[in-house]
Amino acid sequence: MTDSDVVIVGGGITGAAAAVALAGAGARVTLLDRQAPPAPAASGAPLDLRVSAIHAAAAAWLTHLGAWPLVPASHRSPFGSIQVWDAGSRGRIGFDSADLGQPWLGHIVENRALVAALHARLAALPTARLRAPARLEHWRTDEHGVHLRLEDGSHLHARLLVGADGADSPLRLGAGIASHDTPYGQCAVVCNVGTERPHDAIARQRFLANGPLAFLPLADGRSAVVWSTTTDAATRLAALPEAQFAQELEAAFEGRLGAVTTVGERAVLPLRGRLAERYVGPRLALLGDAAHVVHPMAGLGANLGLGDAAQLARIVSDALRAGRDPGAADGLLRYQRARRAQNLPVVQAIGALHRLFGATAAPLRALRGAGLRLTDHAAPLKRALTAAACGLDDTAFDH
Ligand SMILES: Cc1cc2nc3c(=O)[nH]c(=O)nc-3n(C[C@H](O)[C@H](O)[C@H](O)COP(=O)(O)OP(=O)(O)OC[C@H]3O[C@@H](n4cnc5c(N)ncnc54)[C@H](O)[C@@H]3O)c2cc1C
């Protein structure tokens, strides 16, 4: 039997960050994943096609944890502005880090490199243990703690179990926590492309009738494309010959970066919204996609998960320092209250944007065009939105 203060199931961005934050504060942490972690990214190695926009506040927290500097510069690309425009109206809006006196709004980071950096940092922390690949077979909770049995027959004991096991979270399902699903009926076609003109460290997104199309700046000069559209259209786009795909992509993006000159491997990812009814259960906390899945249009899913990790790590390490039970209900309820207050408005706003930009009726299109233009000219509102894009409104990252 191996004893830990906390067992975390899921070593993706969220679970690995929580493990580093907890072990960095001295907690005995076991991190378990069904897959071995990715190898550290070699400087200049080819970029994978899964990337995330990590905002400035989350990056500052990851720097504080010692993980951010382990992501090679070739695998993270800063962006100072965001430009958004609407194909169905004359609406457009821009956000600039200079409005807040910040050097940048965030970075486009290769997911794999960030996960590898977090695992490399974790390996240097004496109270952390990684079990991967490993599968949880059974777990039960009593007043003393959580008892876990792994598929290889070994047993673990902890005082808190953390589910960072992704959108289909087996822990959430095992705990009987229901979720509300939003079937967007969309998929994202993702790929990295070269363009005739430089991206100038600007993240761009055009709202099309079937969903948003984003070009995100990569450190190697290419752009990461996230093209959300109907499932049928995504399947068709992914199967097109390269030259035809490049042409359709360029047209859909109004040639903002000139011709699309190279097209990397393409993948189709299903999109859905999902919100767990509760983030906590007896001696259980859910983090990241296990608790909430949002449409990628706002580039916030991983950022919300990192905020969860920061908040939970603070509550649990405070409890341990004070000699209290880290799995006690009062601490878990404080975690749930804080994170729901932060995450719910974001989830609701993304749902509303999805409906608004999906609307084809002329009056609604005119309204959203006017709304975007007005917001673009309303300095205080724009500053507040820019601060949110930087994550400055999420107090979980204060350190
Ligand atoms: C197209 C697209 C673009 C996106 N862009 C952005 C963006 O720009 N910015 C942003 O912030 N977010 C973005 N997101 C969202 C972001 O990718 C996710 O929110 C984030 O990766 C979730 O991380 P996670 O660690 O919570 O879950 P996951 O990444 O799903 O990790 C779960 C981990 O749990 C492990 N696991 C699962 N089940 C078990 C089990 N039974 N036992 C052991 N281990 C298990 C898995 O192996 C995995 O390692 C995007 C999403 C998509 C689809």
Side-chain angles (χ1 to χ4, degrees):
M1 172 86 69
T2 309
D3 267 321
S4 307
D5 296 312
V6 184
V7 167
I8 300 173
V9 179
I13 294 174
T14 313
V20 171
L22 283 162
R28 295 169 308 155
V29 178
T30 300
L31 178 62
L32 200 144
D33 202 295
R34 59 187 175 193
Q35 294 171 8
S43 189
L47 293 169
D48 185 45
L49 39 69
R50 287 301 311 270
V51 299
S52 293
I54 298 297
H55 60 43
W61 181 66
L62 291 167
T63 302
H64 169 72
L65 295 186
W68 190 252
L70 304 180
V71 180
S74 55
H75 288 65
R76 54 180 153 100
S77 178
F79 60 95
S81 323
I82 300 175
Q83 292 177 359
V84 176
W85 70 104
D86 179 17
S89 73
R90 288 188 301 117
R92 63 185 154 73
I93 189 164
F95 303 98
D96 202 300
S97 58
D99 292 344
L100 293 178
Q102 300 273 338
W104 33 264
L105 295 171
H107 279 75
I108 305 301
V109 188
E110 185 195 42
N111 289 10
R112 193 173 62 183
L114 179 54
V115 172
L118 286 161
H119 279 270
R121 182 72 191 110
L122 192 69
L125 296 170
T127 57
R129 218 161 151 249
L130 175 68
R131 300 285 300 264
R135 273 178 191 275
L136 181 60
E137 195 172 71
H138 178 261
W139 57 284
R140 73 178 168 81
T141 303
D142 62 25
E143 68 272 29
H144 306 296
V146 191
H147 308 267
L148 306 109
R149 189 177 68 236
L150 306 190
E151 212 174 48
D152 66 2
S154 58
H155 290 260
L156 305 175
H157 176 262
R159 287 190 286 169
L160 174 65
L161 178 61
V162 173
D165 46 354
D168 294 320
S169 171
L171 282 192
R172 186 190 62 234
L173 295 169
I177 299 177
S179 61
H180 299 288
D181 290 7
T182 310
Y184 292 126
Q186 285 185 347
C187 285
V189 181
V190 294
C191 61
N192 297 335
V193 302
T195 53
E196 192 181 8
R197 290 206 287 274
H199 52 56
D200 292 330
I202 299 171
R204 297 171 172 86
Q205 183 155 265
R206 183 177 191 222
F207 278 91
L208 298 154
N210 287 335
L213 166 61
F215 272 56
L216 308 171
L218 294 174
D220 63 8
R222 291 182 300 161
S223 294
V225 166
V226 182
W227 191 347
S228 307
T229 185
T230 61
T231 303
D232 286 349
T235 310
R236 188 188 73 81
L237 286 167
L240 284 179
E242 226 169 85
Q244 199 181 335
F245 176 76
Q247 257 177 15
E248 293 203 18
L249 180 60
E250 187 186 323
F253 203 55
E254 293 186 307
R256 281 286 164 112
L257 294 178
V260 171
T261 52
T262 60
V263 176
E265 177 200 348
R266 279 164 274 170
V268 176
L269 305 171
L271 302 180
R272 62 189 154 175
R274 175 169 280 173
L275 198 52
E277 241 167 34
R278 290 179 284 123
Y279 288 8
V280 299
R283 296 194 176 276
L284 173 72
L286 301 177
L287 300 184
D289 277 17
H292 41 73
V293 184
V294 295
H295 194 289
M297 72 168 75
L300 280 175
N303 290 298
L304 296 180
L306 288 169
D308 297 347
Q311 187 82 49
L312 186 74
R314 180 168 314 125
I315 288 173
V316 168
S317 38
D318 282 355
L320 286 169
R321 253 193 303 275
R324 296 195 308 267
D325 179 355
D330 60 337
L332 293 179
L333 288 173
R334 242 178 320 126
Y335 161 72
Q336 173 170 272
R337 248 192 326 272
R339 290 319 292 168
R340 287 184 93 142
Q342 180 66 38
N343 296 340
L344 205 57
V346 176
V347 172
Q348 286 167 343
I350 290 174
L353 281 175
H354 175 70
R355 286 189 296 277
L356 186 62
F357 280 98
T360 49
L364 271 178
R365 280 193 285 135
L367 190 68
R368 75 179 183 235
L372 282 174
R373 286 196 304 278
L374 277 175
T375 309
D376 201 34
H377 289 99
L381 177 57
K382 235 181 95 166
R383 241 193 323 276
L385 289 172
T386 312
C390 277
L392 300 179
D393 63 332
D394 192 340
T395 55
F397 294 115
D398 296 347
H399 53 265

